[in-house]
Amino acid sequence: MAKPTQNVDCEAVFVYSEDQLGYRFSETHPFNQKRLTLTVDLLEKVNALSKKQIVTPRIATDEELALAHDTRYIDAVKRASLPDCKSEEFEAYGIGTEDTPLFVGMHEASARLVGSTLTAVDYVMEGKAKHALNIGGGLHHGFRGKASGFCVYNDSSVAIRYMQEKYNARVLYIDTDAHHGDGVQWCFYDDPTVCTISIHETGRYLFPGTGSITERGSGEGYGTSFNFPIDAFTEDESFIDIYRTAFREIVEHFKPDVILTQNGADAHYFDPLTHLYGSIEIYKEIPKLAHELAHEFCDGKWIGVGGGGYDIWRVVPRAWSLLWLEMSNQQIPKGPLPSDWIERWQEESPVPLVSTWEDPSPLYEAIPRKVEITEKNRQMLEKALYIIRNEKKLTT
């Protein structure tokens, strides 16, 4: 069991350096770390991020990467990082593909994102901060011996193993990316000391196609994997209801030492790769409950990472700024975004920027199947939580 944190030096740290921008596939690839620059600039323009709060990340060592990855895979990524190598030689490892193409320096850039999350972990687990955020992380599709879905190394899987080995911690991982958090789930599928929760668009039509409610863990880990596949076109009310109900009941059941949140920002209506109808309101609610539960159950220990998010202009900077503002106990702003932020980035943006912290109204036309979708999601929630609700009923 992790030791209680005492005499914490500060409320929250923001793990970031411009070196994180080196994780870059191509000019046209949808995974674009320019979103980090846009977010940091927005936070600085509203005086919500000081130099004192920013922590420079380190690069993960090979031994640390091997906590969640095969050494043969790590060696392959290193070879694939060199100039002039051939993509076809690495396709068995999931790299050199259309989704996860090669780029020079891939190993170092990927290991830096893992090291960034480990930096966040050490700050929280050593009591230097209550909370820590690495928006450069959240690469949840990476597998033990294979890259997948834009993700080379899985920083969250490495970080969880790291917390188990170094801090003897019982970890709860919650993933609100629109895509199923498959890489993290399968890494800990038979481990009873790690609980994984994923709330995502159903895999019927969306990558990676997994994340059914019947994926509950195996062996000693049975009952520690939870999936909430929501229907396409799900709106705020249903999403937030599932999130709040599931997160609280599972935390109460599992009793973690620390919470790790993956904060993909691709459940928004504007996102070009998914089919959910979330608004910016869900990105206020998601960190709010994580913050609340971390203090209620984990002595405040909360580590956040980024994730997906492919509307880098209108959604991600606002969503991840709201995450940091909640984590660092700052007031959630309303009204216009800073005019100098709009003026700086509008010229580069291919779409008109949203000029306020709120979304335009109306954001979209009314959904004719809203009642049906909400009811379907509610029934899914009941089935997914049956295992712990039934256990609770039997013990009371």
Side-chain angles (χ1 to χ4, degrees), residues 78-273:
K78 286 181 177 177
R79 294 198 307 277
S81 300
L82 301 174
D84 303 324
C85 57
K86 296 178 181 177
S87 294
E88 56 268 25
E89 294 177 13
F90 301 98
E91 288 180 0
Y93 295 102
I95 45 181
T97 63
E98 186 176 346
D99 270 2
T100 315
L102 304 182
F103 64 93
V104 175
M106 172 183 276
H107 167 76
E108 184 181 54
S110 306
R112 189 183 302 282
L113 297 187
V114 178
S116 302
T117 300
L118 297 183
T119 300
V121 163
D122 284 333
Y123 261 78
V124 170
M125 300 306 286
E126 292 175 4
K128 296 176 186 172
K130 281 280 187 190
H131 324 303
L133 178 61
N134 168 32
I135 56 174
L139 304 183
H140 61 169
H141 296 307
F143 291 101
R144 185 163 191 83
K146 190 173 183 179
S148 177
F150 317 156
C151 305
V152 179
Y153 295 137
N154 192 320
D155 58 296
S156 293
S157 291
V158 173
I160 292 169
R161 286 277 184 236
Y162 183 80
M163 283 191 275
Q164 288 180 309
E165 295 204 359
K166 186 172 181 180
Y167 300 106
N168 192 28
R170 186 174 172 87
V171 184
L172 185 140
Y173 168 86
I174 181 162
D175 186 321
T176 48
D177 194 286
H179 301 84
H180 176 226
D182 55 345
V184 183
Q185 172 182 288
W186 299 125
C187 189
F188 300 99
Y189 206 56
D190 59 357
D191 188 335
T193 68
V194 176
C195 180
T196 63
I197 307 170
S198 181
I199 302 171
H200 49 267
E201 181 181 335
T202 172
R204 281 198 300 278
Y205 309 110
L206 190 69
F207 176 89
T210 52
S212 149
I213 61 171
T214 59
E215 295 165 18
R216 297 185 184 276
S218 67
E220 292 184 356
Y222 184 79
T224 57
S225 172
F226 294 89
N227 285 294
F228 300 89
I230 55 179
D231 238 30
F233 309 109
T234 292
E235 298 174 84
D236 285 359
E237 290 174 1
S238 182
F239 185 105
I240 291 168
D241 176 52
I242 289 166
Y243 172 74
R244 295 195 73 87
T245 304
F247 195 5
R248 174 163 283 283
E249 288 193 30
I250 295 169
V251 169
E252 289 175 351
H253 172 76
F254 184 72
K255 298 179 175 58
D257 296 319
V258 55
I259 292 173
L260 171 59
T261 62
Q262 196 271 15
N263 299 273
D266 49 0
H268 193 281
Y269 170 74
F270 281 149
D271 194 275
L273 299 191

Side-chain angles (χ1 to χ4, degrees), residues 22 45 50 63 106 149 151 170-172 182 213 216 283 303-304 306 313 336 353 369 377 393:
K45 291 273 192 304
S50 68
E63 291 73 22
M106 172 183 276
C151 305
R170 186 174 172 87
V171 184
L172 185 140
D182 55 345
I213 61 171
R216 297 185 184 276
Y283 299 110
I303 298 141
W313 302 101
L353 295 175
R369 292 177 53 240
N377 286 341
K393 190 188 299 180

Side-chain angles (χ1 to χ4, degrees), residues 3 5 7 15 18 102 119 137 198 254 310 319 362-363:
K3 294 178 181 177
T5 303
N7 302 320
V15 181
E18 291 188 353
L102 304 182
T119 300
S198 181
F254 184 72
Y310 308 99
L363 184 58

Side-chain angles (χ1 to χ4, degrees), residues 266-288:
D266 49 0
H268 193 281
Y269 170 74
F270 281 149
D271 194 275
L273 299 191
T274 67
H275 316 95
L276 299 177
Y277 271 44
S279 80
I280 201 68
E281 292 303 311
I282 66 173
Y283 299 110
K284 295 176 184 172
E285 292 299 318
I286 287 171
K288 187 176 175 184

Side-chain angles (χ1 to χ4, degrees), residues 13-26:
V13 293
F14 190 97
V15 181
Y16 173 73
S17 80
E18 291 188 353
D19 293 332
Q20 291 177 313
L21 307 180
Y23 191 85
R24 184 174 179 80
F25 296 108
S26 72

